[in-house]
């Protein structure tokens, strides 16, 4: 049988704070060496370890002075401090974290595993493991914690492997489609802002009432409510015209025709401090809003001047022989971007669209009229009944 190598003697030099723990470690190593060499008697121990007699005497139990000498050199307060500093590093497995805790706790001489359990609960990285420990309560043990930790890590590895295999099978193609969908819907469906989504609690349109459908939660420009589902509510309106006023309109020599297309290309304006989307109508001289929009403006404390309950103007849609019911007019400041202008607005009962007239649109620099036509072919414009 091969002869065991001679065990190295204890080194008393080095850090004075660690001499106690180094002595315990050396003493344990010497015990293992003597056990492996089948040296069981004190006489054999003394003869076989002549190079380190101090160790053999201590191990034989005849002279415990070295234990008494080295023990005071070990500061348990400092060792417990080091124990409390231990935490599970990012990416480290639980078993390695537990080994570090056990090694350090052996130097602290804790009476039980409670400090070990507390340190795991506080310094482990897994929130799920911490939840499991708290659910176990007073019945928790180190053995139960080890089982739970190993189970969670195994499930985590399985989920990671599952996701990796799923990506290799082509699920990433679905992700690309989802990304394209998100890109198309990157703006808020309530107000149109690209800075937040529709579920943002600070969306300015969340508590606003749509002046097109009557439902709360979105601006008119983002309204998608079908016509048959729109609310039929009694919205406050300007006083209606008297019969004499209507006769005056019908006999007026000046008629303002209004032409607009049913489209969604609008421009956002601030009318008296209230945001309203308007459709630019190059075929109308005047600015027109519906009675619903007027109610919306009043609800949001619009700033206006020179409010009139009646007007001499007569408005008529192209192709129609009946004048529109004008409830009144007012003057206010309208702002588009960095441009502002004082303008007059007319309120139409049961109107369908809010229109920005040609003259105001030109002054606000959102409409540019240019004439560069040299010749006109026959019948270049559409014809309307009873209109020249």
């Amino acid at each position: 049988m091969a002869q065991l190598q001679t065990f190295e003697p204890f080194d008393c030099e080095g850090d004075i704070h660690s001499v106690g723990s180094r002595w315990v470690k050396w003493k344990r190593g010497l015990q293992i060496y003597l056990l492996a060499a089948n040296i069981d008697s004190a006489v054999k121990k003394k003869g076989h370890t002549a190079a380190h007699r101090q160790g053999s005497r201590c191990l034989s139990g005849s002279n415990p002075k070295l234990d008494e000498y080295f023990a005071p050199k070990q500061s348990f307060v400092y060792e417990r401090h080091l124990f409390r500093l231990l935490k599970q590093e990012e990416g480290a497995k639980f078993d390695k974290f537990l080994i570090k805790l056990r090694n350090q706790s052996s130097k602290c001489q804790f009476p039980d595993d409670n400090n070990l359990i507390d340190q795991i609960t506080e310094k482990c990285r897994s929130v799920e493991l911490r939840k499991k420990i708290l659910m176990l309560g007073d019945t928790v043990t180190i053995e139960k914690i080890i089982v739970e930790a190993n189970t969670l890590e195994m499930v985590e590895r399985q989920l990671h492997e599952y996701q990796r295999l799923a990506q290799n099978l082509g699920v990433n193609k679905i992700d690309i489609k989802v990304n394209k969908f998100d890109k198309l819907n990157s703006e808020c469906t309530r107000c149109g802002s690209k800075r937040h989504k529709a579920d943002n609690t600070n969306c300015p349109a969340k508590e606003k009432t749509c002046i097109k459908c009557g439902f709360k939660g979105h601006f008119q420009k983002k309204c998608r409510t079908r016509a048959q589902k729109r609310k039929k509510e009694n919205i406050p309106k300007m006083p209606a015209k008297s019969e004499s006023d209507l006769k005056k309109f019908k006999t007026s020599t000046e008629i303002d025709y209004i032409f607009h297309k049913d489209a969604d290309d609008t421009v956002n304006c601030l009318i008296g401090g209230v945001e309203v989307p308007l459709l630019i109508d190059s075929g109308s001289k005047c600015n027109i809003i519906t009675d619903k929009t007027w109610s919306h403006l009043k609800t949001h404390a619009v700033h206006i001047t020179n409010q009139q309950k009646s007007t001499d103007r007569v408005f008529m849609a192209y192709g129609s022989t009946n004048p529109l019911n004008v409830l009144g007019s007012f003057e206010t400041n309208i702002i588009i971007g960095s441009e502002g202008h004082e303008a007059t607005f007319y309120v139409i009962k049961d109107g369908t669209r809010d229109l920005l007239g040609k003259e105001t649109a030109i002054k606000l620099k959102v409409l540019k009229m240019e004439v560069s036509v040299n010749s006109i072919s026959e019948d270049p414009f559409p014809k309307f009944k009873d209109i020249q």
Side-chain angles (χ1 to χ4, degrees):
M1 181 173 119
Q3 186 177 1
L4 293 173
Q5 296 181 356
T6 304
F7 196 77
E8 294 293 333
F10 177 66
D11 181 14
C12 297
E13 302 295 334
D15 185 9
I16 186 66
H17 299 289
S18 64
V19 67
S21 60
R22 288 190 289 113
W23 165 252
V24 173
K25 183 177 179 181
W26 181 88
K27 179 180 174 181
R28 178 61 179 165
L30 181 59
Q31 289 176 331
I32 296 174
Y33 169 77
L34 294 177
L35 181 63
N38 198 22
I39 302 173
D40 51 2
S41 66
V43 177
K44 290 181 180 180
K45 291 177 182 178
K46 291 180 181 180
H48 197 81
T49 58
H52 41 277
R53 295 185 183 88
Q54 67 275 29
S56 61
R57 291 196 186 114
C58 180
L59 293 174
S60 64
S62 60
N63 190 356
K65 292 184 179 181
L66 288 175
D67 282 338
E68 297 176 0
Y69 175 78
F70 286 119
K73 307 296 183 181
Q74 185 175 9
S75 173
F76 295 112
V77 175
Y78 179 71
E79 297 298 341
R80 288 193 294 269
H81 169 69
L82 295 179
F83 176 80
R84 295 188 185 96
L85 292 179
L86 292 177
K87 64 180 181 179
Q88 186 177 6
E89 302 296 337
E90 183 176 0
K93 297 296 181 63
F94 176 80
D95 54 354
K96 293 184 179 179
F97 174 50
L98 182 61
I99 291 174
K100 289 183 179 180
L101 289 178
R102 286 190 183 278
N103 290 339
Q104 187 60 32
S105 65
S106 65
K107 303 175 185 179
C108 302
Q109 295 189 354
F110 292 132
D112 50 39
D113 290 335
N114 288 336
N115 288 277
L116 198 62
I117 294 174
D118 292 344
Q119 193 70 9
I120 293 174
T121 306
E122 183 177 352
K123 297 300 177 69
C124 70
R125 293 191 59 84
S126 174
V127 177
E128 290 297 325
L129 177 59
R130 187 175 296 112
K131 186 187 301 183
K132 293 284 187 181
I133 295 174
L134 295 176
M135 290 176 63
L136 290 172
D138 295 337
T139 63
V140 66
T141 62
I142 289 295
E143 290 72 20
K144 291 181 180 180
I145 292 177
I146 293 174
V147 171
E148 295 292 346
N150 290 337
T151 302
L152 289 173
E153 287 187 348
M154 180 181 65
V155 171
E156 186 67 25
R157 288 194 298 269
Q158 291 174 346
L159 285 175
H160 180 75
E161 183 66 16
Y162 177 84
Q163 293 174 352
R164 187 184 65 83
L165 292 175
Q167 290 179 353
N168 292 338
L169 291 174
V171 181
N172 56 327
K173 294 182 179 179
I174 298 178
D175 293 337
I176 294 175
K177 293 181 180 179
V178 173
N179 291 336
K180 289 182 178 179
F181 179 79
D182 290 341
K183 185 175 182 181
L184 293 174
N185 293 273
S186 59
E187 67 177 27
C188 175
T189 56
R190 295 177 182 270
C191 68
S193 174
K194 295 185 178 180
R195 297 183 179 180
H196 63 261
K197 295 297 182 65
D199 56 355
N200 190 295
T201 56
N202 296 322
C203 177
K206 187 176 181 180
E207 300 298 330
K208 304 299 181 182
T209 300
C210 176
I211 60 178
K212 182 178 180 180
C213 67
F215 288 99
K216 181 182 290 188
H218 61 272
F219 287 151
Q220 178 187 7
K221 64 181 180 179
K222 302 302 292 183
C223 182
R224 298 180 180 178
T225 308
R226 295 180 181 178
Q228 59 268 29
K229 292 186 178 181
R230 295 172 186 170
K231 289 184 177 181
K232 304 296 183 181
E233 298 177 341
N234 294 324
I235 302 176
K237 302 178 178 66
M238 290 182 174
K241 297 180 181 301
S242 63
E243 293 183 2
S244 60
D245 290 332
L246 293 176
K247 291 179 180 179
K248 184 178 180 181
F249 290 159
K250 292 181 180 179
T251 57
S252 174
T253 57
E254 182 180 358
I255 299 177
D256 292 311
Y257 289 98
I258 299 174
F259 170 78
H260 75 86
K261 60 180 180 177
D262 187 12
D264 293 328
D265 47 342
T266 59
V267 57
N268 290 330
C269 311
L270 283 178
I271 301 177
V274 182
E275 182 179 2
V276 176
L278 299 178
L279 177 67
I280 300 175
D281 187 358
S282 60
S284 173
K285 295 180 181 180
C286 303
N287 306 308
I288 305 296
I289 63 171
T290 67
D291 51 352
K292 290 184 178 180
T293 302
W294 168 241
S295 176
H296 172 74
L297 292 174
K298 291 192 297 181
T299 303
H300 292 78
V302 62
H303 300 288
I304 64 173
T305 59
N306 195 23
Q307 181 179 350
Q308 302 292 331
K309 295 183 179 180
S310 61
T311 178
D312 296 334
R313 307 300 291 262
V314 176
F315 297 97
M316 190 175 295
Y318 276 111
S320 174
T321 58
N322 298 319
L324 300 175
N325 189 353
V326 184
L327 300 179
S329 65
F330 62 89
E331 296 178 2
T332 187
N333 181 261
I334 178 173
I335 299 175
I336 300 179
S338 60
E339 300 292 333
H341 178 66
E342 289 291 330
T344 301
F345 284 84
Y346 296 90
V347 182
I348 303 298
K349 182 180 179 180
D350 298 328
T352 58
R353 294 302 298 262
D354 302 313
L355 306 177
L356 181 65
K358 177 180 67 175
E359 295 180 358
T360 304
I362 293 175
K363 291 179 180 179
L364 292 174
K365 300 181 181 180
V366 293
L367 179 64
K368 187 176 182 181
M369 305 296 291
E370 293 183 350
V371 179
S372 58
V373 181
N374 296 324
S375 62
I376 301 177
S377 60
E378 185 178 358
D379 296 330
F381 299 110
K383 294 182 179 180
F384 298 94
K385 185 178 180 180
D386 299 328
I387 295 178
Q388 294 181 355

